[in-house]
Every structure is written in structure tokens, then in C-alpha cells.
């Protein structure tokens, strides 16, 4: 009993000794807001511990001191105005003591004004799309954990299901404003180290912000059950010093210009069937296999098969249209902004000739561009 009392007293007087960096507690994070949330949590926790100790101490003292075996006669009074005022006033004061710091923290969390940079975050099954507003930079971020690890054919990596091909990059010591929305269902962008968790709702814009104090890589997940592959939608953020971030942003703009030039040159080229099939297989595994399965058989009643599909073996224009523009009301997304011209041509070619479809159709990037231009006219 003495050891238990000593441990409880230690927790109350020196909570940082027993809770800091504990896997059972909140993270202190790397932002001022996350630190405020952590300290608020610890304050409320200590208050609750004190209340619990006092209440149970009085209760057990009363049970032992006034038990029947000691010949104690029960009191006969029914009401006490003083006691009722006391047990009403004390909880009220405690609630005020909790409400004041909680309100300050919540107001600070919602203050998205005076941001240094704004990033639009769009959730879609099952990837994130990041757009740097005013900088003409944007990209999709997809899970990069190898399928072999997911299927237990390889040992799991250190960041299993928490790694992406293109992480979000932000500057340190600058206020970053996030605009959250969704293309399809409700998602939730969550990074514990930032104390940021905001729903991404289709048709709505939610706001959040962060200011990261320390450079590093921070990981999170979609925290809303958003469908079949909800567990395969991680968030990875790289915080870089401002000068490194500016250099990265410049590189992204140059890469976009280079890609546009490469696409223009690609329109004059005739790619071989082998090159298109090899590229198409890679695109299919990373972008299509989650729904249509690596075998092309799909999931009956949920996702249609590619093998023997009337789309993949029928009119080629219908096939191009559904890959480029998607199908509204379904999980089939528009890939025109996600894949390059070569990747679009390659995946259509692959689907029309893999899984026993063998249509013999070869789709060139120029055909995809002509179709897009025709749709835009």
C-alpha cells in the first residue's frame, strides 16, 4: 500500500519522469501547438488523478473509520446546505481551471491567418494529392511499401505501410496552411507529431495549419475509414530548412517544365510494343492492381475484372476515356492528371494485351494527347 501511494505521488509531482516519450502517452510533437496539446493533456490528467485520489481516500477512510464492527451509529441528518454549495462550487472551479487553457489551445489550433504558404490537400481512394497554391507545383503521394511485404513474401521494413513515393515537403519555422478536401469519400489527414487531424470532405474545404520547429521526416495516416484500402493511405511529411525548401520548390518547377518538354517530344515518337508493355505493367501494379488485382480478375461484385472485360477488349476509345476521365460515382478515378502521356498509353496497351485479352492494339502517347485535345475542344 505504501509503495502504491508513493508511485501515485511520484506521478502527480513529477509526471514528466514517467510519461515523457512513453509509447502509452501522447507525443509531445515538433510544433508549439503539439506541445500545448501535450501539456493540456497532462494538466487534465493530473487534475483527474488528484480528484481520484481525494475521492477514494475519503471514501475508504469513511468505510474504515465508521464501519459497523466499531459500533459506529449512522448519522440521521438528510440535507446540508453548506455541503451542497461546496460540492457544487468545487467542481465548477475545477471545470473553469480546465476550460481556460483548453479554450486557448483550441482557438490557436483554428487560427489559420497570416500563413507563409498554403497547400491544398485532396484525399482520394487511396492517395493524397498536394498542390502548392501560387507556385504551380503539385503531385500525388502513394504508398511505396512493396507488395511482397504486404503479402508476407518479404520481411516488413522499418516504415511498413508508412512510406510513400513522394512525400509532402514543407519549410520549418514558417506557418503552413492546409486546405483539406476530397474527390470521393471522407478521408482524414493526420500527423500526430503536428497535432493536426482534419477531415477531408467531398464538396467542402476544411482548414488546418502547422509550424514545424525541427527538420525531419514525420509520418501519419488517413484516420477515417475510407474504403477497402484505408490502411494503405499513409501521410509522410518532410520538413526542410527554408533555404532547402526553396531549392526543392525550384527543382519541382524545373522538373515540371522538363516533363512538359519530354511529353512534347514524345508525341513525335513511335514506342515499341515491348517498351509500352513493360511500362504498362509497372503502372498497372502500382496504380490498378489494388482494385483489379495483379491477376486482372478484380473483386467480383466490387471491382470489375480486366481479364475479358468488355472495356479492355471492346472499343479502344471507350477504354481510353475511362482511364483518362474515370467513371463518376465509382472508385474509378480520372488518371489524366496523375499519369504522364507515356504512362497512360502504356497502361491502356498493357490492359488490352495482358491477362489473355490479346487484342493486338498498341496505343501511342500521340493518340492519348489527340483524345484529350478532342475532349477539350
Amino acid at each position: 500500500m505504501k509503495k502504491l501511494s508513493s508511485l501515485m505521488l511520484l506521478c502527480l509531482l513529477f509526471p514528466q519522469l514517467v510519461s515523457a516519450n512513453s509509447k502509452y502517452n501522447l507525443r509531445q510533437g515538433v510544433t508549439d501547438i503539439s506541445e500545448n496539446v501535450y501539456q493540456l493533456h497532462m494538466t487534465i490528467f493530473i487534475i483527474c488523478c488528484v480528484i481520484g485520489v481525494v475521492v477514494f481516500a475519503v471514501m475508504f477512510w469513511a468505510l474504515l473509520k465508521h464501519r459497523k464492527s466499531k459500533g459506529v451509529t449512522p448519522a440521521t441528518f438528510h440535507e446540508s446546505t453548506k455541503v451542497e454549495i461546496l460540492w457544487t462550487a468545487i467542481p465548477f472551479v475545477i471545470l473553469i481551471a480546465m476550460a481556460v487553457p483548453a479554450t486557448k489551445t483550441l482557438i490557436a489550433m483554428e487560427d489559420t491567418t497570416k500563413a507563409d504558404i498554403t497547400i491544398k490537400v485532396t484525399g482520394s481512394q487511396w492517395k493524397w494529392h498536394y498542390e502548392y497554391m501560387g507556385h504551380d507545383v503539385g503531385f500525388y503521394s502513394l504508398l511505396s511499401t512493396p507488395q511482397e511485404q504486404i503479402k508476407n513474401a518479404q520481411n516488413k521494413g522499418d516504415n511498413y505501410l508508412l512510406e510513400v513515393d513522394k512525400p509532402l515537403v514543407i519549410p520549418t519555422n514558417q506557418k503552413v496552411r492546409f486546405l483539406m478536401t476530397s474527390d470521393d469519400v471522407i478521408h482524414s489527414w493526420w500527423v500526430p507529431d503536428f497535432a493536426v487531424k482534419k477531415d477531408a470532405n467531398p464538396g467542402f474545404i476544411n482548414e488546418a495549419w502547422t509550424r514545424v520547429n525541427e527538420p525531419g521526416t514525420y509520418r501519419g495516416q488517413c484516420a477515417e475509414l475510407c474504403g477497402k484500402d484505408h490502411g494503405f493511405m499513409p501521410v509522410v511529411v518532410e520538413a526542410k530548412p527554408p533555404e532547402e525548401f526553396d531549392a526543392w520548390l525550384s527543382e519541382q518547377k524545373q522538373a515540371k517544365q522538363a516533363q512538359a518538354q519530354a511529353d512534347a517530344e514524345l508525341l513525335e515518337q513511335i514506342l515499341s510494343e515491348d517498351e509500352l508493355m513493360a511500362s504498362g505493367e509497372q503502372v498497372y501494379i502500382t496504380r490498378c492492381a489494388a482494385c483489379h488485382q495483379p491477376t486482372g480478375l478484380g473483386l467480383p461484385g466490387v471491382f470489375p475484372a480486366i481479364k475479358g472485360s468488355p472495356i479492355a477488349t471492346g472499343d479502344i476509345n471507350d477504354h481510353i476515356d475511362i482511364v483518362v476521365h474515370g467513371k463518376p460515382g465509382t472508385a474509378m478515378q480520372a488518371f489524366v492528371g496523375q499519369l504522364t502521356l507515356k504512362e497512360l498509353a502504356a497502361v491502356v496497351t498493357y490492359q488490352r494485351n495482358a491477362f489473355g485479352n490479346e487484342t493486338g492494339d498498341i496505343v501511342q502517347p500521340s493518340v492519348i494527347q489527340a483524345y484529350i485535345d478532342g475532349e477539350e475542344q
Side-chain angles (χ1 to χ4, degrees), residues 104-151:
K104 289 181 179 179
T105 300
L106 288 172
I107 291 175
M109 292 175 70
E110 297 299 324
D111 180 16
T112 59
T113 60
K114 300 180 180 179
D116 296 297
I117 185 171
T118 297
I119 300 174
K120 181 181 177 183
V121 181
T122 305
S124 58
Q125 293 174 314
W126 289 273
K127 59 183 76 72
W128 297 102
H129 184 212
Y130 300 116
E131 298 176 73
Y132 292 74
M133 310 301 289
H135 293 280
D136 195 29
V137 171
F139 54 86
Y140 285 85
S141 180
L142 287 81
L143 174 74
S144 62
T145 296
Q147 287 291 322
E148 289 75 14
Q149 292 185 19
I150 296 174
K151 296 176 180 178

Side-chain angles (χ1 to χ4, degrees), residues 3 25-26 28 31-32 59 73 81 104 115 156 184 188 192 219 235 239 246 248-249 266 275 287 306 318 320-321 360:
K3 290 183 179 180
N25 199 1
L26 291 180
Q28 289 185 259
T31 68
D32 293 339
M59 183 179 71
T73 303
T81 302
K104 289 181 179 179
K156 304 292 192 286
D184 37 47
S188 187
R219 304 178 189 275
V235 176
D246 291 340
W248 175 87
L249 201 60
L266 199 62
E275 182 178 359
R287 298 300 186 98
I306 298 297
D318 291 341
I320 294 174
D321 180 75

Side-chain angles (χ1 to χ4, degrees), residues 25-238:
N25 199 1
L26 291 180
R27 298 187 185 187
Q28 289 185 259
V30 292
T31 68
D32 293 339
I33 287 295
S34 63
E35 175 66 20
N36 291 342
V37 170
Y38 177 82
Q39 295 300 335
L40 176 63
H41 160 72
M42 292 308 302
T43 299
I44 303 301
F45 174 73
I46 291 172
I47 290 174
C48 291
C49 286
V50 171
I51 292 173
V53 169
V54 171
V55 169
F56 279 97
V58 171
M59 183 179 71
F60 285 119
W61 175 83
L63 289 172
L64 295 172
K65 191 70 175 179
H66 301 90
R67 63 186 186 274
K68 183 178 179 181
S69 62
K70 293 187 66 174
V72 176
T73 303
T76 57
F77 68 88
H78 295 283
E79 295 92 12
S80 172
T81 302
K82 292 181 180 179
V83 172
E84 290 183 0
I85 292 176
L86 196 62
W87 71 34
T88 300
I90 292 177
F92 178 77
V93 172
I94 293 173
L95 287 175
I96 293 299
M98 293 180 175
V100 170
T103 301
K104 289 181 179 179
T105 300
L106 288 172
I107 291 175
M109 292 175 70
E110 297 299 324
D111 180 16
T112 59
T113 60
K114 300 180 180 179
D116 296 297
I117 185 171
T118 297
I119 300 174
K120 181 181 177 183
V121 181
T122 305
S124 58
Q125 293 174 314
W126 289 273
K127 59 183 76 72
W128 297 102
H129 184 212
Y130 300 116
E131 298 176 73
Y132 292 74
M133 310 301 289
H135 293 280
D136 195 29
V137 171
F139 54 86
Y140 285 85
S141 180
L142 287 81
L143 174 74
S144 62
T145 296
Q147 287 291 322
E148 289 75 14
Q149 292 185 19
I150 296 174
K151 296 176 180 178
N152 296 316
Q154 289 182 357
N155 293 330
K156 304 292 192 286
D158 292 337
N159 296 309
Y160 176 68
L161 298 186
L162 290 175
E163 49 200 339
V164 298
D165 56 351
K166 294 181 180 179
L168 174 66
V169 179
I170 62 174
T172 58
N173 299 312
Q174 291 186 16
K175 189 170 185 176
V176 182
R177 175 177 174 237
F178 300 112
L179 302 179
M180 310 284 189
T181 189
S182 171
D183 281 336
D184 37 47
V185 299
I186 299 176
H187 301 275
S188 187
W189 197 82
W190 176 46
V191 181
D193 284 317
F194 299 170
V196 173
K197 179 178 177 291
K198 185 67 69 171
D199 282 354
N201 301 313
F204 293 89
I205 298 289
N206 287 329
E207 293 183 276
W209 71 275
T210 191
R211 180 184 282 110
V212 180
N213 300 327
E214 303 173 14
T217 300
Y218 306 102
R219 304 178 189 275
Q221 293 172 299
C222 174
E224 188 73 35
L225 184 58
C226 60
K228 179 182 74 71
D229 282 343
H230 159 71
F232 303 93
M233 193 174 171
V235 176
V236 179
V237 182
E238 286 188 5

